[in-house]
Amino acid sequence: VEINLEDQFQARIDADISIEPKDWMPDAYRKTLIRQISQHAHSELVGMLPEGNWITRAPSLKRKSILLSKVQDEAGHGLYLYSAAETLGASRDQMLADLHSGKAKYSSIFNYPTLSWADMGCVGWLVDGAAILNQVPLCRTSYGPYARAMVRVCKEESFHQRQGFEIMQTLCEGAPEQKAMAQEALNRWWWPTLMMFGPKDADSPNTAQSMNWRIKRFTNDELRQKFVDMMVPQAEFLGLTVPDPAVKWNEARQAYDFGEVNWEEFWNVVKGNGMCNQDRLGARVKAHEEGAWVREAALAHAKKRAERAET
Ligand code: 3HC
């Protein structure tokens, strides 16, 4: 009986044996992974910007140092992810060039502005909460280097989520003005966070194949539902109201019903026309250009060391 490579590959996936860089894999599997991992890496880098905005304005030294280390963590996540993509043959220079030219995608969520300190609470609580829900299953994704990178990322991400919730809790237990600030931030972040999970399954071109390859372990809609089920009780605990009148416990489904995401807004942001898209890309390009001397110095240093080792 002749068994072809593609069948053997799928059999390994079905048996939950991880795929490693030197293993044979279909071109489309490699391409899908490079796409997803690089988009994920870009999201970590661009994700530093909305919070970076508040480092100089954090309300206390303690808050400032926590925020600073959180933003540094995101940079680290980006670096592990670029490395994971490199194991598939992607070039880091090319990935960055695609980000800077606007060709590559990154998460829609980072194209919204962070207007008040309560936004640091919402980004940690909601955005990092959504990131964890999406990323914990990725610790079991079929490609080994991606799965292993996710383990550490998820540990750091749960610290980020806790610190965000704690900011929200402090505001909600504070003065009426602080509580109002928390509610106002939730009103702005709720819907964009639901969009992070991607289009509805019926409109998601990649989900079916990625589930089959066990790159994704849950569909976009499954994760969005889990998110709503997790967050509605947390909002209630904080004394806040989720800005969706359709949110209602459904006894039969044992899950919350919720309203429809504004998909026109979602695609508009993905296409580059969100509130902050231009700002975010501008900031990334500027940082890259201003960092050129560091890259040159590092290369010169490495060259000098290599020459010294030869003699
Ligand atoms: N923002 C921007 N683009 C999005 C998107 C979003 N929220 N959701 C989906 N898209 C894009 C997809 O990338 C895909 O683009 P492409 O085919 O042109 O490359 C297209 O819309 C269709 O969507 P699909 O559902 O078919 O795509 P996927 O199967 O890739 O699913 C995903 C999308 C669920 C985001 C998946 O890629 C994924 O799980 N990625 C890994 C996690 C990730 O990237 N998270 C980023 C935000 S969290 C974060 O950065 C951590 C924080 O702490 C900073």
Side-chain angles (χ1 to χ4, degrees):
V1 194
E2 196 179 308
I3 303 176
N4 71 30
L5 285 171
E6 196 128 3
D7 289 343
Q8 274 177 14
F9 173 82
Q10 189 64 45
R12 281 188 67 170
I13 299 266
D14 295 343
D16 271 335
I17 300 168
S18 76
I19 306 300
E20 296 299 331
K22 288 183 176 159
D23 294 338
W24 184 88
M25 61 186 85
D27 281 347
Y29 176 84
R30 186 185 299 277
K31 239 179 104 188
T32 296
L33 275 169
I34 291 176
R35 178 184 66 78
Q36 177 168 325
I37 298 172
S38 62
Q39 287 175 357
H40 192 164
H42 299 329
S43 302
E44 299 284 354
L45 284 203
V46 179
M48 296 166 76
L49 298 169
E51 291 173 303
N53 188 33
W54 281 89
I55 290 174
T56 54
R57 286 177 279 166
S60 69
L61 184 60
K62 185 179 132 202
R63 294 288 184 201
K64 183 179 174 131
S65 53
I66 294 171
L67 189 60
L68 198 60
S69 64
K70 178 180 188 265
V71 172
Q72 284 172 345
D73 287 350
E74 317 283 6
H77 298 175
L79 298 183
Y80 316 148
L81 284 160
Y82 286 122
S83 299
E86 282 176 322
T87 66
L88 291 155
S91 120
R92 190 178 297 223
D93 287 343
Q94 188 59 51
M95 290 186 276
L96 287 173
D98 289 346
L99 172 65
H100 297 152
S101 72
K103 187 176 161 217
K105 291 193 171 75
Y106 59 86
S107 184
S108 51
I109 192 71
F110 302 119
N111 294 308
Y112 290 84
T114 44
L115 304 176
S116 81
W117 172 252
D119 288 16
M120 295 304 96
C122 274
V123 169
W125 173 42
L126 297 176
V127 175
D128 296 329
I132 292 172
L133 266 180
N134 168 279
Q135 289 169 20
V136 165
L138 291 177
C139 296
R140 296 184 296 114
T141 195
S142 56
Y143 186 59
Y146 191 23
R148 290 189 289 273
M150 281 300 109
V151 174
R152 175 156 172 192
V153 168
C154 284
K155 284 186 189 159
E156 293 178 350
E157 216 58 72
S158 32
F159 150 66
H160 297 172
Q161 209 246 350
R162 295 271 179 112
Q163 70 87 38
F165 184 82
E166 200 260 342
I167 291 175
M168 295 303 279
Q169 196 172 6
T170 304
L171 292 173
C172 290
E173 289 169 357
E177 290 83 355
Q178 287 175 301
K179 177 117 189 230
M181 210 164 121
Q183 180 65 55
E184 190 273 334
L186 172 59
N187 292 348
R188 281 183 290 109
W189 288 95
W190 177 255
W191 289 106
T193 310
L194 291 190
M195 296 175 196
M196 284 176 73
F197 297 98
K200 290 209 285 202
D201 294 350
D203 300 322
S204 160
N206 301 302
T207 292
Q209 182 57 265
S210 289
M211 293 288 287
N212 214 18
W213 279 329
R214 300 197 184 178
I215 292 174
K216 287 166 91 162
R217 294 286 184 157
F218 294 96
T219 72
N220 300 358
D221 286 335
E222 284 167 354
L223 290 173
R224 195 167 10 249
Q225 179 71 60
K226 275 176 192 274
F227 178 79
V228 172
D229 292 345
M230 182 169 103
M231 288 303 173
V232 171
Q234 291 186 14
E236 275 168 11
F237 176 84
L238 290 170
L240 298 174
T241 310
V242 167
D244 176 0
V247 163
K248 193 167 177 274
W249 179 251
N250 183 322
E251 191 58 34
R253 287 202 308 120
Q254 288 290 301
Y256 284 92
D257 291 336
F258 58 99
E260 188 70 35
V261 168
N262 180 344
W263 295 113
E264 198 186 314
E265 175 182 325
F266 169 74
W267 289 116
N268 203 37
V269 175
V270 172
K271 280 183 200 133
N273 307 318
M275 260 183 274
C276 299
N277 293 61
Q278 284 191 6
D279 253 34
R280 300 296 186 231
L281 270 196
R284 280 310 325 158
V285 170
K286 183 165 176 277
H288 190 74
E289 282 168 359
E290 287 177 354
W293 70 271
V294 180
R295 291 188 293 279
E296 281 158 22
L299 283 174
H301 180 65
K303 191 167 164 242
K304 224 190 310 182
R305 284 184 60 137
E307 280 166 5
R308 216 175 288 152
E310 270 170 28
T311 54

